[in-house]
Amino acid sequence: MSVTADLYIEVKNFYARQMRVLDDLDIEQFTATFTEDGSVAHPHRGEKVEGREAMRAKMKSMLPMYEGLVTRHWFDHFLIEPAGDDGLRVTYYSLVTQTNTKDEVHFFSSSSVEDRMVRENGELRIRERVIHRDNPKFGRVI
C-alpha cells in the first residue's frame, strides 16, 4: 500500500522543519515534534529516552558538545508506509555533518532511522524514533 503525493510532501516538509529547529538547537520546538510520550533510541549514546521532558533534559545536557560547531542533518531515501495503527512508518538515511570555526566540514555520523508517526490534533508527530548506526558489524537493519 502506498501513500498519496500530498501526504508524502507533508511528511517531507515535516522533516525539513524538524531538522532546521534541531540544527538551530531549538530544543523546545524540536521536542514539540514528538508526542508527549514519544521516544528516541539513539545508538551514539546507547540509550532510549522516553517523553518530551526527558528529551529536553538530555538535549540540554549535551549542548556543550555543539559549541563552536554548525551541525546539519541530511536525510534522504525516504520510504513512507501506512502503519497498522493508523499512523505511518517512515524509514530514511541520515548523514550528519559538522563545520568548525576553521570552515572544516567533518562527517559526524551515518545512520538509518525508523520513525513511527501519528497525527495529533491534525499535526504529524513522532511517537517513536529508532536510530541505527551504520556499521557492518551490526548487519543490515532495515
Side-chain angles (χ1 to χ4, degrees):
M1 180 182 282
S2 62
V3 299
T4 66
D6 286 343
L7 181 57
Y8 187 87
I9 291 167
E10 181 184 10
V11 169
K12 293 277 299 230
N13 283 334
F14 169 89
Y15 285 104
R17 286 189 304 274
Q18 185 191 49
M19 287 306 104
R20 278 179 170 77
V21 296
L22 178 61
D23 290 344
D24 288 342
L25 303 176
D26 186 338
I27 294 169
E28 293 301 319
Q29 288 295 321
F30 177 76
T31 56
T33 65
F34 287 80
T35 60
E36 190 64 45
D37 63 346
S39 66
V40 177
H42 206 297
H44 305 298
R45 296 185 277 285
E47 64 185 336
K48 182 176 182 178
V49 179
E50 298 185 62
R52 282 186 194 158
E53 192 59 41
M55 283 182 216
R56 282 190 286 270
K58 182 64 178 178
M59 291 177 77
K60 286 178 183 175
S61 75
M62 298 189 71
L63 283 175
M65 179 176 145
Y66 296 95
E67 288 181 21
L69 297 170
V70 173
T71 301
R72 296 286 185 246
H73 290 75
W74 306 92
F75 291 173
D76 202 3
H77 299 291
F78 283 85
L79 181 59
I80 303 167
E81 303 170 299
D85 60 358
D86 293 330
L88 297 170
R89 177 180 183 260
V90 183
T91 57
Y92 51 94
Y93 298 151
S94 170
L95 180 65
V96 181
T97 60
Q98 292 183 321
T99 305
N100 62 25
T101 56
K102 297 176 185 175
D103 292 330
E104 298 168 329
V105 179
H106 300 278
F107 293 109
F108 180 72
S109 68
S110 174
S111 306
S112 61
V113 183
E114 180 178 349
D115 286 344
R116 298 291 178 166
M117 296 183 93
V118 296
R119 203 172 282 283
E120 285 186 339
N121 301 320
E123 298 289 326
L124 290 173
R125 300 271 187 267
I126 296 173
R127 174 163 287 143
E128 179 183 31
R129 172 169 287 167
V130 179
I131 303 168
H132 304 278
R133 180 190 314 258
D134 286 345
N135 188 318
K137 74 179 182 180
F138 297 121
R140 183 167 163 78
V141 178
I142 292 179

